[in-house]
Amino acid sequence: MTSVPFENVAPIRGRWRWVEGGRPLVLIATASKGRGTKLETELGDVLYELDPGLVSRRSRSYPDVILVFSLVNPFILLRRLMHWPPAYAQRVVPVEYHVEPEPGSIVEGLEVLSAKLGSGAVVWVEVDVRGSSRLSSQLEKVIVEWLSARGFRVSRRGAQHVVKLECVPGEGCGLSIIPWRCDRVEEWWKRGTTERCVANYG
């Protein structure tokens, strides 16, 4: 296995559920329509220097979704991409906790990740389970109810963070809490975005 500096090792908490090449899933990227192959290559080219053993591949079921597996902290990878924004990406979601697309697993992840939110924080929730809008809605409800029961306010207005659940069934499912809109590549061109998006992470 290729050596990676210890300080860069991915902070995937809990069990590594989604692994390829001995590396955990750390990023889920969505390409512009029909540009999955180009984005797959683009991500590999930009990130290879940080982890020569990195795996960047298209989803078997959704060819415009790219899964990235690496031993490097996902926010370090995200910082690198922000300096060289991929031309064919619409969004890139860092994965902080591996989950299954079912309530118990997601609550387990929320219990760990919510510790970094301040008391009474205003957050938004975005869930994308590829191929199932019904399951996406069901799991979004689980997350919203869990957060609300613990004193967090779920609202788009005033939200500084987003709880993201990004799933490609059978291939990878990740939970993360990220600063507002920091997965949107179009935002990366704005002054100060890199500092805002990766501050206190990685």
Side-chain angles (χ1 to χ4, degrees):
M1 181 178 295
T2 305
S3 176
V4 175
F6 178 78
E7 64 271 18
N8 289 353
V9 170
I12 301 299
R13 308 175 201 183
R15 182 165 64 89
W16 289 8
R17 300 171 187 266
W18 309 104
V19 181
E20 290 196 19
R23 285 159 161 73
L25 175 67
V26 290
L27 299 175
I28 300 176
T30 302
S32 304
K33 188 174 181 179
R35 300 293 186 174
T37 299
K38 290 184 179 295
L39 180 58
E40 176 185 17
T41 300
E42 195 172 29
L43 293 176
D45 289 346
V46 173
L47 300 176
Y48 176 81
E49 182 181 349
L50 293 176
D51 179 3
L54 175 142
V55 176
S56 171
R57 70 160 179 84
R58 288 188 298 161
S59 161
R60 291 181 286 272
S61 302
Y62 303 93
D64 287 335
V65 176
I66 310 303
L67 307 173
V68 176
F69 301 80
S70 175
L71 290 177
V72 176
N73 181 313
F75 290 97
I76 290 176
L77 299 178
L78 198 64
R79 183 184 293 120
R80 172 63 64 93
L81 291 173
M82 286 179 177
H83 285 298
W84 289 279
Y88 302 105
Q90 292 183 339
R91 69 178 193 265
V92 181
V93 178
V95 173
E96 294 185 89
Y97 202 98
H98 289 183
V99 297
E100 299 285 350
E102 56 88 16
S105 180
I106 290 164
V107 165
E108 175 187 292
L110 288 170
E111 289 174 343
V112 173
L113 297 183
S114 63
K116 66 184 184 180
L117 294 173
S119 177
V122 181
V123 298
W124 187 237
V125 175
E126 294 179 350
V127 175
D128 190 353
V129 179
R130 298 309 199 287
S132 181
S133 58
R134 180 180 180 182
L135 184 55
S136 294
S137 297
Q138 291 172 343
L139 295 178
E140 179 178 336
K141 182 179 179 182
V142 167
I143 295 171
V144 169
E145 290 180 348
W146 190 93
L147 291 168
S148 298
R150 283 151 186 80
F152 299 108
R153 185 159 68 90
V154 181
S155 172
R156 182 185 293 270
R157 182 185 296 273
Q160 293 186 328
H161 289 83
V162 181
V163 177
K164 299 280 299 186
L165 176 64
E166 195 87 3
C167 293
V168 183
E171 297 187 71
C173 189
L175 187 69
S176 58
I177 299 179
I178 64 175
W180 177 255
R181 290 183 63 82
C182 283
D183 59 319
R184 266 58 168 189
V185 175
E186 64 187 25
E187 293 288 312
W188 297 357
W189 298 97
K190 298 179 181 178
R191 183 185 298 273
T193 295
T194 299
E195 291 73 17
R196 178 177 69 85
C197 289
V198 300
N200 302 318
Y201 294 95

